[in-house]
Amino acid sequence: MAKSFEIVVIGGGPGGYVAAIRAAQLGFSVACIEKHINKDGDAALGGTCLNVGCIPSKALLDSSHKYIEAKESFKVHGISVKDLSIDISAMQDRKDGIVRNLTKGVASLFKANGVSWLKGAGKLLAGKQVEFVPAEGGDAETIAAENVILASGSVPVEIASAPLKDNLVVDSTGALDFTDVPKRLGIIGAGIIGLELGSVWRRLGAEVTILEAQEVFLPMVDQLVAKDAIKQYKKQGLDVKLGARVTGSEAEGNEVTIAYSDNSGDQQLVVDKLIVAVGRRPVTENLLAGDSGVNLDERGLIFVNSYCRTDVPGVYAIGDIVRGPALAHKAMEEAVMVVERIAEQPVQLNYDAIPSVVYTHPEIAWVGQTEEQVKASGEAYKVGTFPFAASGRAMAANESVGLVKFIVHEETDRVLGVHIVGAQASELIQQAVIGMEFGASVEDFQLMVFAHPSLSEVVHEAALDVDGKAVHIAKRKRKKK
Ligand code: FAD
Ligand code: AMP
């Protein structure tokens, strides 16, 4: 007899595996179809994030940060290090071990919750039927589902001007597996992934040039913060060239010659390795039968409403294959929303309060609108900023770089956006997320008590600065009360 489940999930990344676990917790019979085979040749859950995304990149960022700290920052504390070196293969083994542990951990969670993991490829057919093709071979099966959740994620975009080549021209996945530090490293795209990978290899000694077609650096980030960040990156030796569009490349021998054009005309750059980090595209090929009834939008994403429902009742889509930021935590929360709504719980997701982070050093983190966006909307607004340089805790930690910026509605005092560049911005931003989720006014941030000394005080002072009330900084315009 054909298998049947109350919920079938296609894809076992942060969207899919969280949906499957939450569904099992709520008592649904659930199967998750995942086709990925990892470097060890084993079937693995966890998707892009755990296997070739968030987690391995953060492992390398942390290792390389420790190395550069020891090399450049320990001396200020009076610590000297002799014969400092880094063993790239040990660093990579550590990263691979973390990935192995976490992906196996998801498999254990499936077991503990009673989720059936079907190892192979899934395709949505008409009438909420799902075709399953086992990875180990054998006949395709048709599975009946009361509900289907599509969570097939995304893959790197490839461009004709820089086709991938062996170990020379790689995407983000290849860049996580370098076995030595390239002397000259080129990166196409100064987005989050390009900046993070560039930081890893720069810290370990590569000369890094990032070519970015756009004139504006990180347009989704408040430009005061983005400008502060690029200043820091340049100091670290990351050569970010804006307005530089790659038009062609030739990989020959051990070198890649990149052709790009900028305001001064046609240029050339020769590197030992090139990373193509120009964005990601949704995986929808081989996912939908012609008569599945699910439609794509004009960008090739699966069309869904604000509750992630597709055009077919009982079929949902979440994560990188639908609109919204391509972030693991957004995929996970969409997963929870969809499953709980299937269970008739009236939950929803606040898309206005999703934080984003660039895990460089300093980190960049933000939530809500930029000053540029608020200005363009015509709303009356006020801003407050505060530098890490004026924080005692930041000074003690030798982390005096960066700033926090609040953008606040002039009349209602509602916080519209918070943008941070500085140490631990990824942790600090959560204060703003929690505040915004609870509809906090900037006065709420001003009146709260922050532990002293802590980096969080920079958030407090930036909120105070919105009304000219920051204490630990001189020469600020004061507002009369
Ligand atoms: P995915 O994680 O892509 O998972 C989809 C899964 O579906 C895959 O395992 C795939 O094998 C499987 N699949 C596809 N089609 C089928 C099919 N037909 N049948 C069966 N299985 C199928 N995000 C963050 O929030 N923070 C970060 O720090 C961060 N860092 C990143 C760093 C890098 C280098 C990269 C590349 C990405 C990073 N991301 C980060 C983005 C994050 O990885 C994605 O947003 C997230 O993984 C999306 O989750 P998902 O479940 O939608 O899809
Ligand atoms: P993201 O989508 O945030 O990962 O960023 C990818 C970046 O790559 C974007 O900022 C694009 O402008 C940039 N990009 C895309 N194509 C090219 C190209 N041919 N040359 C230089 N930069 C590019």
Side-chain angles (χ1 to χ4, degrees):
M1 210 177 78
K3 285 193 188 113
S4 76
F5 294 90
E6 286 167 297
I7 299 181
V8 170
V9 184
I10 302 181
Y17 85 71
V18 169
I21 292 172
R22 187 73 193 113
Q25 287 172 341
L26 289 169
F28 292 109
S29 63
V30 54
C32 179
I33 306 177
E34 169 57 64
K35 63 180 181 158
H36 181 65
I37 304 294
N38 68 16
K39 288 194 286 193
D40 304 329
D42 298 326
L45 292 162
T48 303
C49 178
L50 268 56
N51 289 284
V52 291
C54 329
I55 297 298
S57 60
K58 264 79 263 176
L60 296 186
L61 279 158
D62 281 329
S63 295
S64 58
H65 182 61
K66 288 200 186 320
Y67 174 75
I68 199 76
E69 282 267 282
K71 189 168 170 224
E72 292 181 355
S73 306
F74 278 13
K75 46 185 167 294
V76 75
H77 299 277
I79 305 169
S80 56
V81 182
K82 285 211 177 79
D83 301 327
L84 180 71
S85 67
I86 179 146
D87 176 344
I88 300 296
S89 116
M91 178 185 82
Q92 293 290 19
D93 285 349
R94 185 189 90 98
K95 179 246 320 172
D96 291 341
I98 294 165
V99 169
R100 223 172 274 126
N101 272 346
L102 284 171
T103 53
K104 284 190 176 150
V106 176
S108 309
L109 288 172
F110 270 19
K111 214 174 219 170
N113 283 283
V115 175
S116 301
W117 172 15
L118 306 180
K119 297 169 186 168
K123 183 191 246 182
L124 179 71
L125 309 176
K128 290 189 286 183
Q129 307 249 63
V130 175
E131 179 194 78
F132 167 59
V133 180
E136 61 192 15
D139 293 340
E141 292 179 53
T142 301
I143 299 168
E146 284 172 32
N147 300 276
V148 179
I149 301 175
L150 305 170
S152 53
S154 64
V155 288
V157 166
E158 291 184 31
I159 48 175
S161 51
L164 303 189
K165 186 165 179 204
D166 305 329
N167 210 11
L168 269 185
V169 184
V170 298
D171 58 16
S172 59
T173 304
L176 292 168
D177 276 343
F178 286 163
T179 50
D180 44 29
V181 181
K183 184 166 179 318
R184 298 162 301 174
L185 174 63
I187 300 180
I188 312 179
I192 299 181
I193 293 175
L195 290 168
E196 291 186 359
L197 293 171
S199 288
V200 167
W201 296 107
R202 171 68 203 139
R203 290 169 190 169
L204 301 178
E207 290 160 21
V208 178
T209 308
I210 307 186
L211 302 169
E212 168 55 57
Q214 295 184 89
E215 298 280 354
V216 179
F217 182 59
L218 292 177
M220 62 291 205
V221 179
D222 188 277
Q223 284 303 294
L224 180 72
V225 165
K227 286 192 175 121
D228 199 81
I230 200 168
K231 214 167 62 194
Q232 302 309 326
Y233 295 152
K234 290 201 162 163
K235 270 193 202 153
Q236 294 165 8
L238 274 183
D239 183 7
V240 183
K241 293 190 191 302
L242 298 174
R245 174 169 292 282
V246 172
T247 50
S249 64
E250 208 172 299
E252 216 169 282
N254 293 324
E255 283 185 348
V256 188
T257 305
I258 308 160
Y260 67 95
S261 60
D262 62 15
N263 286 340
S264 328
D266 291 341
Q267 314 286 347
Q268 233 187 36
L269 174 73
V270 181
V271 294
D272 303 303
K273 281 195 199 297
L274 174 62
I275 304 173
V276 182
V278 295
R280 297 183 58 84
R281 64 170 180 80
V283 174
T284 49
E285 64 272 15
N286 302 321
L287 179 71
L288 307 168
D291 58 354
S292 73
V294 167
N295 295 305
L296 304 185
D297 69 14
E298 60 289 350
R299 288 177 299 159
L301 297 158
I302 292 184
F303 179 76
V304 288
N305 71 3
S306 51
Y307 302 119
C308 293
R309 290 167 64 158
T310 68
D311 288 334
V312 179
V315 177
Y316 305 83
I318 58 175
D320 283 8
I321 48 164
V322 301
R323 81 284 171 271
L327 294 169
H329 43 281
K330 175 259 195 186
M332 293 194 245
E333 294 311 320
E334 286 181 333
V336 171
M337 170 178 73
V338 162
V339 171
E340 293 188 351
R341 290 188 75 88
I342 293 172
E344 294 180 0
Q345 298 173 11
V347 293
Q348 56 187 26
L349 183 55
N350 182 1
Y351 284 94
D352 293 334
I354 298 177
S356 297
V357 180
V358 188
Y359 291 85
T360 47
H361 191 83
E363 292 179 341
I364 309 175
W366 67 98
V367 60
Q369 300 179 70
T370 62
E371 180 174 352
E372 294 76 27
Q373 287 167 333
V374 177
K375 191 183 263 174
S377 75
E379 296 274 17
Y381 69 93
K382 47 190 179 175
V383 302
T385 60
F386 196 81
F388 281 66
S391 150
R393 186 74 186 93
M395 232 178 272
N398 194 31
E399 295 287 7
S400 305
V401 156
L403 65 107
V404 175
K405 178 170 178 179
F406 270 72
I407 301 127
V408 174
H409 197 281
E410 172 74 45
E411 281 126 38
T412 63
D413 239 17
R414 196 160 48 87
V415 177
L416 302 173
V418 176
H419 294 248
I420 305 176
V421 52
Q424 298 190 34
S426 58
E427 305 294 340
L428 298 177
I429 199 65
Q430 204 58 32
Q431 303 175 10
V433 175
I434 294 169
M436 288 170 74
E437 188 65 41
F438 280 87
S441 67
V442 75
E443 191 183 32
D444 292 320
F445 281 93
Q446 293 170 350
L447 295 177
M448 256 184 273
V449 182
F450 286 70
H452 176 76
S454 66
L455 294 181
S456 299
E457 288 174 298
V458 184
V459 176
H460 191 203
E461 292 268 16
L464 287 165
D465 185 58
V466 170
D467 293 314
K469 298 193 284 192
V471 172
H472 293 91
I473 192 127
K475 290 189 208 146
R476 291 269 155 153
K477 223 174 25 192
R478 308 244 181 255
K479 278 198 178 159
K480 281 206 186 117
K481 267 278 149 199

